[in-house]
Amino acid sequence: MDGSITSFVGIDVAKHSLDLCVWPEANQVSLSYDEGGLAQLRQRLPEPARCLIVVEATGGYQRRLVAELLDAGYRVAVVNPRQVRDFARGLGILAKTDRIDARVIARFAQQVRPRTTAKTPEKQAELQQLVSRRRQLVELRTAERNRFELLESKLVRQSVQQIVDLLNKQIQRIEKQILALLESDDDWKNQRDIIASVPGIGAITVVSLLAELPELGRLSRQQIAALAGLAPFNRDSGRFQGKRSISGGRPSIRSVLYMAAITARRCNPVIRAFADRLQRAGKPFKVVITACMRKLLVILNTLVKNQSLWNPEYVQ
C-alpha cells in the first residue's frame, strides 16, 4: 500500500444513512444516503491521494457510494463484514451500532490495509446485474414449481402455473439481453469461446464466470482458487493435523462450478481421470468434487491467461 496514505476512512452503509469515521483523528459524522448526503460526504473526506476508504459489502447498498468515490479518484476497498466483525472482537469491541461500526472499519483500514477495488466498467456492471437477476428469477421459478407439486386445488394450481409461465418468459428475455450484451464486446466473445471449449462447461457457467469472476486469467492459480473460495485452509496445531477445508470466496461461482464439475467428471477426460485417481485413493465424494471444481477453475484460468482453446494434451 502507498506510504503516502495518512488518513483511513470507515463508512458504515445503511439503506438511508451513512456513518463516517476518519482515523486517526476519530472524526465522526452521520449523513443521509442521498444526493445531499453524498455531497456533504465528499466535502468531509481528505484528499484522494492521501486516504484509503473502506466499506463493507452490504448486499448492494454500497454500490452507488463506491462508484461515486471511484469516479472522484478515491482508493476504495469493499470488504467482507465478517472480517470486520472478527477484527472488532479482537479489539474487545462487542457492542454494535452504526457509529461504532464506522469507527471499527476505519481502524480496520489502518491496520489491515485491504486490497482496493477497481472501477467496474459500465458493461461489466450491467452484465453482473443481468446474471444476478436471472438467478433470482430461476430461484423464484423453482420455489413455485415445488409448491405446485403439493397443491390439490385446481384454481391454486392454475395460479401457480401462470406465475411459472410468466417467470419463464422473463428468464428467456433476460437470457436474450445477456447474449446481446456478450455479442457487443469482442473481448467477451473471445473469452466465451475459450471457456466454452472446455468439456463440461455449459452456457450458464460461461456467462456466470464472465459476469462474476472478471479476474479470470489475470491471477495466479492460487489467487483465483482463493477468490472463488476453493482454496483449502490448514487447521494444524502442534502435532495435531486437522482436516483441510474451503471457506469464504464467491458462493455464486462455486454453485455453477459444482454443476460444471459434476458434468465434467463424466465428459471431460482430464477431470474424469483426476476424479478417478482421488476416488481410488479413498477420498469421499465431497472432497473429490471440490478438488475437481478447483482443478477446473485453474484450467480455465490458464486457458484464458494464455488465450488458448481446450487441448487435453496441453492441459495435462
Side-chain angles (χ1 to χ4, degrees):
M1 184 67 69
D2 192 342
S4 64
I5 295 178
T6 57
S7 295
F8 302 88
V9 180
I11 303 177
D12 184 76
V13 183
K15 185 175 182 180
H16 300 296
S17 64
L18 301 171
D19 277 85
L20 168 75
C21 177
V22 181
W23 195 265
E25 296 87 351
N27 295 330
Q28 292 196 246
V29 65
S30 296
L31 303 168
S32 59
Y33 195 177
D34 52 25
E35 290 292 342
L38 290 171
Q40 294 179 51
L41 174 68
R42 289 190 293 269
Q43 293 174 1
R44 292 177 177 272
L45 289 174
E47 293 294 324
R50 61 183 186 88
C51 86
L52 169 66
I53 301 174
V54 174
V55 301
E56 293 177 322
T58 55
Y61 289 135
Q62 82 285 353
R63 289 175 185 162
R64 179 185 177 188
L65 173 65
V66 171
E68 294 214 9
L69 291 172
L70 289 173
D71 285 340
Y74 286 96
R75 281 170 282 197
V76 184
V78 181
V79 300
N80 189 322
R82 186 180 62 183
Q83 292 178 281
V84 178
R85 194 68 252 158
D86 290 343
F87 179 79
R89 293 192 185 99
L91 295 175
I93 301 174
L94 302 182
K96 192 178 189 309
T97 67
D98 293 344
R99 286 181 62 83
I100 292 174
D101 286 351
R103 192 182 183 96
V104 170
I105 295 170
R107 295 180 65 179
F108 178 87
Q110 182 190 41
Q111 297 296 323
V112 179
R113 303 202 178 194
R115 180 174 60 90
T116 57
T117 187
K119 183 178 178 180
T120 303
E122 186 176 342
K123 279 188 175 182
Q124 183 74 43
E126 185 175 359
L127 181 62
Q128 288 174 355
Q129 292 184 39
L130 284 171
V131 170
S132 177
R133 182 56 184 162
R134 182 195 177 278
R135 183 164 56 246
Q136 293 165 359
L137 292 172
V138 169
E139 290 172 355
L140 289 172
R141 183 179 64 183
T142 301
E144 288 296 296
R145 285 175 172 174
N146 290 340
R147 293 188 186 99
F148 188 86
E149 298 297 327
L150 303 175
L151 297 174
E152 296 181 0
S153 168
K154 183 178 179 181
L155 291 177
V156 177
R157 288 170 69 92
Q158 288 177 347
S159 173
V160 171
Q161 187 59 52
Q162 289 173 356
I163 297 299
V164 170
D165 293 340
L166 177 61
L167 290 171
N168 283 332
K169 292 179 181 178
Q170 287 291 316
I171 291 170
Q172 292 173 3
R173 180 183 176 187
I174 293 289
E175 288 176 344
K176 289 180 180 178
Q177 292 172 336
I178 290 172
L179 182 60
L181 191 59
L182 291 178
E183 290 291 336
S184 69
D185 190 286
D186 291 338
D187 289 338
W188 275 340
K189 288 168 63 177
N190 182 48
Q191 289 187 37
R192 182 187 61 185
D193 293 341
I194 292 172
I195 296 171
S197 71
V198 178
I201 300 295
I204 300 304
T205 304
V206 173
V207 172
S208 297
L209 290 172
L210 290 176
E212 299 176 314
L213 197 64
E215 299 89 350
L216 192 68
R218 303 176 188 174
L219 303 177
S220 69
R221 56 189 297 162
Q222 294 86 357
Q223 290 171 326
I224 201 70
L227 193 61
L230 291 172
F233 292 97
N234 296 345
R235 300 186 185 275
D236 303 334
S237 178
R239 295 182 180 180
F240 172 77
Q241 289 190 340
K243 290 184 178 180
R244 275 53 175 162
S245 61
I246 61 174
S247 179
R250 300 178 183 175
S252 58
I253 294 299
R254 286 200 302 277
S255 295
V256 296
L257 284 175
Y258 177 85
M259 299 307 299
I262 294 290
T263 304
R265 193 177 177 187
R266 297 195 309 268
C267 64
N268 187 308
V270 174
I271 300 299
R272 183 170 61 242
F274 177 67
D276 290 345
R277 178 166 60 82
L278 293 177
Q279 195 169 16
R280 288 194 299 270
K283 302 296 182 183
F285 171 80
K286 191 173 181 179
V287 172
V288 172
I289 204 65
T290 302
C292 289
M293 291 163 62
R294 183 167 59 252
K295 187 172 184 66
L296 192 58
L297 178 61
V298 169
I299 289 172
L300 292 168
N301 188 62
T302 303
L303 293 177
V304 173
K305 182 180 293 185
N306 296 332
Q307 294 293 290
S308 302
L309 294 175
W310 167 260
N311 184 329
E313 296 181 1
Y314 168 75
V315 170
Q316 288 177 327

